[in-house]
Amino acid sequence: MSIPAAQRIFLDNNSTTPPLDEVIDLVAKEYRTHYANPGSTHADGRQSRRVLEDARELLASLVGADPQEVIFTSGGTESINLAIQGFLSGTPGEIALTAGEHPATVNTIRRLAPRGVRQKIIPLAPDGRIDVSALEQFDWQQIQLATMILAHNETGVIQDVAPLAALCEQHRIPLHLDCVQAIGKIPFHFHDSGATAVSLAAHKFHGPRGVGALIVKEGARLLPQITGGHQERGKRAGTEPVALAAGMARALECSVRDQEQRAQQMAALRDRLQQGLSEQCPPVVINGSQEHRLPNTLNVSFPGLDGEALLISLDLAGISCSLGSACASGSRDPAPVLLAMGCPEPVYRSAVRLSLSFLNTEEEIDEAIRRISQIVNQLRN
C-alpha cells in the first residue's frame, strides 16, 4: 500500500532540492518576457543578454569570483567534465583525485585512460577526510591536474582543501573543486579557495534543474569540449539558458542570504534525527566526520541489515532517501567512499543517506524517526 504524497517525507536533498516558489516564478517570468536569443543584436536579444549578464554578475559576487570567470553549463556533471577534460587537453599524464569521488569525476577520468591519463588516488582517513601525509609521497612533477570534492555527496564530509591547494600552487598545477554539494550550504569564496576552477549546480540549492556553472580563474587555459558558436567567451558553445541562469542566481542569492539561519536549522534537525535513531533502533553507525560535515547530511548504517532491502521498505513507508549518489543508482556495488574510509562490510552494506533541507520540519523528523526505527527493528527481528 503506497503512502499518499502529502504524507511522504523527503530526505533525499543531496540528490536534488525542491525549487523555491520565487525561483519558479522568476524562471517562468523570464521565459515569457526574455525569450529572445541573447546572442541576437536586435533590441529583444539585447534585453535577454542583459538578464543573462545580470545573473552572471550576481552569481559571481555570491561565490567570490569575477563575472568573466563564470561559464554557464547544463549542470554539475557537464561542469566537471569541462574542467577535467578542458585542463588536460588530451595530454598524457597523471591526475590526482581523492578516493570515493563522484561518478562524474571518476568516469570522466576513466574515459581518458586510453589517452594515457593515469589516476593518482589521494587516500582517505577513517573519518572521510584526506590523509594529508600521503600527499608528501606524490611525484608532483608528473601530475597535470588535481581534483577534489569539497563536500562529499554521500557522507557530507567537508575536506580541508588548503594542503592540496598549497602543493598545486607550488607546482603550478590546476586544481578543480567539485563544489556541487557545498555551494549554497556552506560559505565559499572562489578567490580565497586556492582553486583554479569550481563546479556548481543550481538544483542543489533550490534552483532550477538543467543549469550550473564552472568558475574558472582568469587566465587559466581551458580547452572547450562543446564546439559551435562563440558563447561563454568561446568556452562553451550553445545558446545560453537565460531564464534558468536567472533562476540559479536568485536561488543562490536566497541561499547565501539565509545561509547561517538555514545551516543552524538543518544541523539541529539532522542531530535530532541522528539522536532519535541512535536511541530507538540501536546499533547505528554514523559514517564520516561528525565535526567536518554538511549541516544537512547524515550517512548512517544499521549493521545486520541490507541497505537495498531497507531502502525499499523505507520507500514503501513514505521515506524518500538513498543509498548514495543518485548518479550511481542501479549499481549494486558498495559506496566507494565507504570502502575508501575502511568501513567493515556490515557497515557499508547497511548504509543509507538521509539528507535534509531547511524546508523539513521537526514534526517530519520525529515522524521519520518513528517510521525508520519501526522498520529497522522489524527487519532485524
Side-chain angles (χ1 to χ4, degrees):
M1 181 178 178
S2 61
I3 298 293
Q7 297 178 23
R8 292 192 63 86
I9 302 172
F10 191 75
L11 300 179
D12 197 22
N13 288 276
N14 280 9
S15 67
T16 198
T17 55
L20 299 176
D21 288 343
E22 67 177 281
V23 170
I24 295 173
D25 292 342
L26 177 63
V27 171
K29 170 181 171 289
E30 297 299 350
Y31 269 129
R32 286 192 298 266
T33 59
H34 295 111
Y35 48 82
N37 191 318
S40 299
T41 58
H42 49 64
D44 291 329
R46 294 196 303 273
Q47 290 176 4
S48 291
R49 171 60 59 182
R50 185 65 264 162
V51 173
L52 182 71
E53 296 309 317
D54 285 348
R56 193 189 310 276
E57 291 175 10
L58 177 56
L59 184 71
S61 70
L62 294 168
V63 298
D66 295 329
Q68 66 271 19
E69 295 176 315
V70 177
I71 301 172
F72 288 122
T73 68
S74 63
T77 293
E78 184 191 337
S79 295
I80 291 169
N81 271 260
L82 176 56
I84 293 174
Q85 299 190 74
F87 281 128
L88 290 176
S89 304
T91 307
E94 292 186 349
I95 176 170
L97 70 154
T98 48
E101 284 278 337
H102 188 276
T105 296
V106 173
N107 292 330
T108 300
I109 296 172
R110 284 176 180 166
R111 187 181 179 188
L112 296 174
R115 305 183 197 174
V117 175
R118 302 179 302 279
Q119 299 183 34
K120 193 69 175 178
I121 303 295
I122 304 171
L124 300 181
D127 68 352
R129 303 189 94 199
I130 64 169
D131 180 358
V132 177
S133 63
L135 298 176
E136 301 171 0
Q137 311 302 319
F138 285 19
D139 182 358
W140 291 96
Q141 302 301 322
Q142 300 299 316
I143 294 175
Q144 292 185 310
L145 173 67
T147 184
M148 170 185 280
I149 187 167
L150 177 57
H152 203 279
N153 53 294
E154 296 185 37
T155 63
V157 171
I158 301 170
Q159 294 292 350
D160 180 9
V161 176
L164 180 59
L167 284 166
C168 288
E169 182 180 13
Q170 177 184 344
H171 297 281
R172 297 184 178 181
I173 298 168
L175 171 61
H176 166 254
L177 294 180
D178 173 359
C179 294
V180 170
Q181 288 294 343
I183 288 179
K185 297 188 181 81
I186 59 175
F188 180 81
H189 193 285
F190 177 58
H191 289 160
D192 293 343
S193 69
T196 314
V198 301
S199 300
L200 60 97
H203 74 105
K204 302 297 187 180
F205 46 81
H206 302 278
R209 205 169 304 166
V211 65
L214 181 68
I215 317 294
V216 182
K217 191 174 181 179
E218 181 76 5
R221 184 176 180 273
L222 183 78
L223 187 70
Q225 299 303 301
I226 298 178
T227 56
H230 298 285
Q231 293 90 349
E232 299 304 290
R233 297 171 305 288
K235 298 301 184 184
R236 199 274 188 185
T239 302
E240 299 97 331
V242 173
L244 296 180
M248 174 167 62
R250 175 66 62 83
L252 187 57
E253 182 181 31
C254 294
S255 294
V256 171
R257 180 193 65 207
D258 301 330
Q259 194 164 77
E260 184 176 356
Q261 176 186 346
R262 289 186 186 183
Q264 291 176 353
Q265 179 183 344
M266 290 188 293
L269 293 176
R270 178 204 61 198
D271 293 346
R272 187 185 188 96
L273 178 60
Q274 178 175 322
Q275 181 178 353
L277 295 176
S278 298
E279 292 174 350
Q280 297 191 27
C281 55
V284 302
V285 177
I286 309 304
N287 299 310
S289 171
Q290 295 187 51
E291 179 183 1
H292 305 285
R293 61 173 168 171
L294 292 173
N296 76 315
T297 305
L298 176 62
N299 190 296
V300 57
S301 293
F302 302 92
L305 300 185
D306 175 75
E308 291 190 10
L310 176 58
L311 189 69
I312 293 171
S313 297
L314 292 176
D315 185 30
L316 292 174
I319 303 290
S320 297
C321 59
S322 68
L323 297 180
S325 171
C327 296
S329 63
S331 171
R332 295 181 61 86
D333 296 331
V337 68
L338 298 184
L339 293 177
M341 291 161 54
C343 295
E345 185 170 359
V347 171
Y348 68 68
R349 290 291 183 192
S350 62
V352 295
R353 180 188 70 186
L354 306 170
S355 50
L356 294 67
S357 86
F358 76 98
L359 298 174
N360 288 118
T361 65
E362 283 191 1
E363 291 74 20
E364 284 183 318
I365 296 305
D366 289 343
E367 178 61 17
I369 293 170
R370 187 191 69 79
R371 295 184 197 179
I372 295 171
S373 299
Q374 183 180 47
I375 288 170
V376 168
N377 291 326
Q378 286 177 347
L379 291 175
R380 279 183 171 148
N381 293 329

